[in-house]
Amino acid sequence: MSGLLGVRLLLLWGSACLWLPGLTRGALVISGAHEALQETRGAARSLQKRSTVEATVEVYSVTLHCTVTSRFAHTVMTSKALNKANTSQEIFFEVELPKTAFITNFSMEIEGEVYVGEVKEKEKAKKQYEKAVSSGQTAGLVKASGRKMEKFSVSVNIAGGSNVTFILTYEELLQRKLGQYEILTRVKPKQPVQEFQIVTNIFEPQGISYVDAHAAFLSNDLLPLVEKTVTDKKAHISFSPTMEQQRKCPGCDETLIDGDFIIKYDVNRAKSLGDIQIVNGYFVHFFSPPDLPRVPKNVVFVIDRSGSMSGQKIRQTREALLAILKDLHEEDHFALIQFDSDIDSWQQSLTKATKENVAQAMIYVRNIQHRGMTNINDAVLTAVEMLVKDRQEEKLPERSIDMIILLTDGMPNEGESRIPRIQENVRSAIGGNMSLFCLGFGNDVDYSFLDVMSKQNKGLARRIFEGSDATVQLQGFYEEVSSPLLLEVDLRYPDNAVDFLTKNHFNQLFNGSEIVVAGRLMDNDLNNFMVEVFGQGFEEDFNVQGEASAVDWDVMYPDEEYIFGDFTERLWAYLTIQELLEKSKTGTTDEKTNTTAKALDMSLHYSFVTPLTSMVVTKPETEDGTESPLIADKLTEEQRQMAERMGYVHKYAAPPVHTSYYQPPPTYFVDGDPHFMIELPDRDDALCFNINDKPGTIFNLVRDPTSGILVNGQIIGDKKISPDGKMNTYFWRFGIIHQTLGVRLLVSTRDISVFQDGKQVKLLWSDTAGLKGPNVDLLLTKDRSLTVTLKDSVKFVILLHKVWEKHPYHRDYLGFYTLDSHLLSPSVHGLLGQFYHGIEYEVTDLRPGEVPEKPDATMFVKGQELNVTRGWQRDFRRDVKNGENVPCWFIHNNGTGLLDGEATDYIVSGLFKTF
């Protein structure tokens, strides 16, 4: 911070929150850069009294204004602060916003000068991002924050006596779930604020049926401060406590306000045609007719019972299934399939959901136990075949919906394990005749695999987060899809009146949800046009038509000066971009390219921060005359999952600090006879295990089906059994493939061969050489190491351990180290690869072990309880001869409990084989 004192003000809403950090609750602490690291790591002393310099920064205003116009929410968060000191101080602004929202604007006003963020193509913004990273600045402004939110953060140095105003704007379309819309505001001010205000105005021409506002922190004293005014078509909700009303106790600096402020509402639904708004040449159609009978469903539950589902996961799955079975309607049909390496069905066909049948099924569910591997392909195909067969034999009602609900927590590693092949097999078998819903349990699952597969088959995917409420999450998802009202819904508009429609055909409409279609009018002056809606209902087809006509907003809301007048156009753009981003995940290469290009153009035109764009925020020049551009990106669900695996979710992350401290990345390696090690510098810890098998065995170390990367290694034994009866084994050959780049390497203790484009290059370990190509870089250090860098993916180092050739027992062997793996996909797996995106564990109950210097402990990992031993293994990167001892928790029995499945599950038939 250029030697300046730093003050952090975190305005964290979920919108917004104000935090003047320090270890005393809500107290403002000014600290130099040399102190900041230790304080954020929890090593500083607890301060009992406020410093005399604490009052030098005053946050005097924190406000959130949200305007909802026909479900489209426009939110502006503003914070104002004054630096009352004579010297510059650094102020941080942090905001939490819903992950479904798009940031549209950010600005900082400092002494009359306004600095505005600019939305750019992500690739073009990347250079500024890399420059900021290389200069040691914090370049990423957006991180995942829990399940529903994202955190936006920025900091700026403010001169003494100066004011700063931060303004962040975002927009989103509120989705109707279980019969209501939800506006979530996360409120964590940490201390009282002079002007603290949440104001929400809801304008719904359809009419508002009810509004509710609540928060866990609303005590009996605070509850009356929530002002709510509701008329037929408008609602006004505000919450503006004074500083004294915010305090936990008279005169103290602790605040009562801490948590989520939630507004829920719904609209009137008297028309079967739905509600259509026409404004400024664009229209939006909301369709969710009332009083429709539900369509019977035929549902097959496909449940993963593999070894990784052990412990809490399988228990919560059983609990959720038992509750779901109770909720089945008697006209529904259902089936249960559980799978690991094998596929087991409760019955050979679907069963009607009578009380007797449900009772028998519940007995079956209570006996589901974990075991084995994960054969997703055969499990889903079995469910499809069951539904097809029952349809052919006319065992199911003609007017009913067929659906499969798949629950899995891991990667396919038994039977067909190639993800593209599984997706194609399932799509071909389903043939558009049923819906597939995929639930990914925990962080080890490849969410993108499930997401694409479900969308290819009229369904959707949902992440189920590990936690005490996983059962509730599973039940909640089922409740959303348990009551279909219409099938194959078509919303039709005149071809000569509208164009650039968003999606207007929907496979199903579920009770409590809503269909939304938007489009552009060919004639801006057009005030009406005909609309038709078709769908398949329970007893008969649904068919309704009517005329859409423009509403005079000035007449409907005469007292409002301006109500977000272009909301229909921006809502149309929001929907269109969302749909284009979904289409870019599937289809041919040309289709993906075209849809991505269209989504990018629209994101730039409407200044939406999407996964294709970034907001570049250029901060004011610092004292050394340099500018520091920061980048705000939009996280995909895959990136959120990866962040959670790496432990960077906001609730676990330390606040950012400006310091030269560098945290090395995790390292994953196998060396010795053979010892596997996962070094975790962020936890100052490591995990280790051994794998023992017969010489000649080939193990898969890394496999990423998404990027096409494969690393296998073959072990070799000693020349002969030593006098102590022990036969050591080591890795002596590695096969490395990058399918996408067309690169193949064979590395042995004798030489290195590189194959690409039908050509072969051979190197000897006695060489010192460097090969630099468009897709792969090799750096060979004589008789020591080979560094392999594969473009845009991963970096490996292979160490050569040379043994005296006349040694009576031992041979030369290799060590394999992964130095950079963060660009690999969430689907990466293998003996090492499964740990690349992090591992969550806890160690407790330290106790004496068999060896005094190696204590035992209990480890909780992946839902299991393991006995582990504190020991050490050697890292040979710096000293290839002697190595350096690294303390680690040793997992016994070939890594059982830490590894997904058993060590033998990773044996393959060849150096370049996946099975």
Side-chain angles (χ1 to χ4, degrees), residues 344-466:
D344 291 331
S345 301
W346 173 52
Q347 305 285 355
Q348 297 308 305
S349 63
L350 281 86
T351 303
K352 193 171 184 182
T354 64
K355 290 183 179 180
E356 294 78 10
N357 289 337
V358 167
Q360 290 299 313
M362 292 174 73
I363 295 173
Y364 178 80
V365 166
R366 290 189 182 99
N367 289 312
I368 295 178
Q369 301 293 332
H370 66 87
R371 67 183 197 191
M373 302 289 283
T374 309
N375 189 346
I376 293 176
N377 183 77
D378 291 352
V380 176
L381 292 183
T382 300
V384 175
E385 291 167 4
M386 187 180 291
L387 281 164
V388 169
K389 178 173 174 288
D390 283 7
R391 276 285 176 199
Q392 291 173 343
E393 296 177 0
E394 299 182 353
K395 294 181 178 179
L396 306 174
E398 181 180 352
R399 284 185 177 271
S400 59
I401 181 174
D402 297 342
M403 64 172 69
I404 298 168
I405 298 179
L406 167 67
L407 171 67
T408 182
D409 77 328
M411 288 293 298
N413 54 20
E414 178 77 9
E416 180 57 73
S417 59
R418 293 168 292 181
I419 285 175
R421 182 64 61 85
I422 295 173
Q423 291 170 335
E424 181 54 38
N425 289 346
V426 172
R427 179 162 57 177
S428 176
I430 286 179
N433 296 317
M434 59 192 73
S435 297
L436 172 64
F437 299 97
C438 297
L439 302 178
F441 203 149
N443 271 334
D444 295 327
V445 72
D446 184 347
Y447 178 78
S448 61
F449 156 51
L450 299 180
D451 187 40
V452 170
M453 188 164 67
S454 62
K455 287 184 171 64
Q456 289 174 336
N457 297 284
K458 297 184 177 182
L460 56 87
R462 183 73 56 83
R463 289 183 62 196
I464 302 299
F465 297 87
E466 291 188 55

Side-chain angles (χ1 to χ4, degrees), residues 609-674:
V609 178
T610 72
L612 304 176
T613 55
S614 300
M615 178 169 285
V616 180
V617 181
T618 302
K619 295 161 62 176
E621 289 187 358
T622 56
E623 289 189 342
D624 60 7
T626 60
E627 293 182 338
S628 50
L630 303 178
I631 308 298
D633 289 328
K634 181 67 182 174
L635 301 178
T636 64
E637 196 62 37
E638 291 76 19
Q639 289 169 326
R640 293 176 65 86
Q641 183 182 17
M642 187 179 298
E644 290 160 17
R645 287 176 171 178
M646 295 297 289
Y648 295 143
V649 180
H650 174 54
K651 68 177 181 177
Y652 299 116
V657 292
H658 290 271
T659 170
S660 59
Y661 177 80
Y662 170 70
Q663 180 71 66
T667 304
Y668 316 87
F669 67 86
V670 56
D671 213 330
D673 61 342

Side-chain angles (χ1 to χ4, degrees), residues 767-808:
D767 298 329
T768 292
L771 292 178
K772 192 172 183 66
N775 296 324
V776 60
D777 293 346
L778 301 179
L779 178 62
L780 177 61
T781 302
K782 180 180 179 181
D783 289 335
R784 178 182 173 89
S785 66
L786 172 70
T787 303
V788 181
T789 305
L790 299 174
K791 179 184 176 184
D792 294 333
S793 53
V794 69
K795 185 175 184 179
F796 303 124
V797 170
I798 298 173
L799 298 183
L800 173 65
H801 297 273
K802 293 186 70 67
V803 177
W804 178 45
E805 63 181 3
K806 293 184 179 179
H807 194 287

Side-chain angles (χ1 to χ4, degrees), residues 345-599:
S345 301
W346 173 52
Q347 305 285 355
Q348 297 308 305
S349 63
L350 281 86
T351 303
K352 193 171 184 182
T354 64
K355 290 183 179 180
E356 294 78 10
N357 289 337
V358 167
Q360 290 299 313
M362 292 174 73
I363 295 173
Y364 178 80
V365 166
R366 290 189 182 99
N367 289 312
I368 295 178
Q369 301 293 332
H370 66 87
R371 67 183 197 191
M373 302 289 283
T374 309
N375 189 346
I376 293 176
N377 183 77
D378 291 352
V380 176
L381 292 183
T382 300
V384 175
E385 291 167 4
M386 187 180 291
L387 281 164
V388 169
K389 178 173 174 288
D390 283 7
R391 276 285 176 199
Q392 291 173 343
E393 296 177 0
E394 299 182 353
K395 294 181 178 179
L396 306 174
E398 181 180 352
R399 284 185 177 271
S400 59
I401 181 174
D402 297 342
M403 64 172 69
I404 298 168
I405 298 179
L406 167 67
L407 171 67
T408 182
D409 77 328
M411 288 293 298
N413 54 20
E414 178 77 9
E416 180 57 73
S417 59
R418 293 168 292 181
I419 285 175
R421 182 64 61 85
I422 295 173
Q423 291 170 335
E424 181 54 38
N425 289 346
V426 172
R427 179 162 57 177
S428 176
I430 286 179
N433 296 317
M434 59 192 73
S435 297
L436 172 64
F437 299 97
C438 297
L439 302 178
F441 203 149
N443 271 334
D444 295 327
V445 72
D446 184 347
Y447 178 78
S448 61
F449 156 51
L450 299 180
D451 187 40
V452 170
M453 188 164 67
S454 62
K455 287 184 171 64
Q456 289 174 336
N457 297 284
K458 297 184 177 182
L460 56 87
R462 183 73 56 83
R463 289 183 62 196
I464 302 299
F465 297 87
E466 291 188 55
S468 59
D469 67 337
T471 300
V472 176
Q473 294 177 61
L474 289 167
Q475 290 176 244
F477 171 81
Y478 172 76
E479 190 176 352
E480 288 182 41
V481 302
S482 64
S483 297
L485 303 178
L486 292 176
L487 311 180
E488 306 305 331
V489 184
D490 272 309
L491 298 94
R492 302 177 187 175
Y493 313 90
D495 292 337
N496 62 352
V498 302
D499 61 1
F500 294 102
L501 272 177
T502 60
K503 178 181 175 182
N504 65 326
H505 174 82
F506 298 83
N507 299 308
Q508 58 273 124
L509 170 68
F510 293 106
N511 187 37
S513 67
E514 181 175 63
I515 287 174
V516 184
V517 180
R520 191 176 72 179
L521 302 180
M522 293 182 181
D523 180 357
N524 279 359
D525 296 326
L526 185 67
N527 288 322
N528 58 76
F529 54 87
M530 293 300 298
V531 178
E532 294 181 283
V533 182
F534 296 86
Q536 299 174 16
F538 172 37
E539 295 175 335
E540 59 185 7
D541 288 342
F542 180 91
N543 186 353
V544 63
Q545 58 183 348
E547 185 177 70
S549 56
V551 173
D552 192 332
W553 285 74
D554 292 332
V555 173
M556 187 174 296
Y557 301 104
D559 298 327
E560 304 298 330
E561 295 180 8
Y562 175 74
I563 313 175
F564 202 26
D566 61 347
F567 83 91
T568 46
E569 180 178 355
R570 296 190 66 80
L571 188 157
W572 165 80
Y574 176 96
L575 268 183
T576 302
I577 292 169
Q578 294 276 32
E579 291 175 6
L580 289 170
L581 291 172
E582 290 298 334
K583 288 180 182 178
S584 69
K585 298 177 183 179
T586 58
T588 65
T589 302
D590 287 343
E591 289 171 342
K592 291 179 180 179
T593 301
N594 291 336
T595 54
T596 300
K598 290 178 183 177

Side-chain angles (χ1 to χ4, degrees), residues 74 132 223 287 305 418 482 555 633 654 656 665 668 670 702 829 831:
H74 175 90
L223 194 59
F287 177 72
R305 65 173 182 199
R418 293 168 292 181
S482 64
V555 173
D633 289 328
Y668 316 87
V670 56
V702 182
H829 210 261
L831 282 171

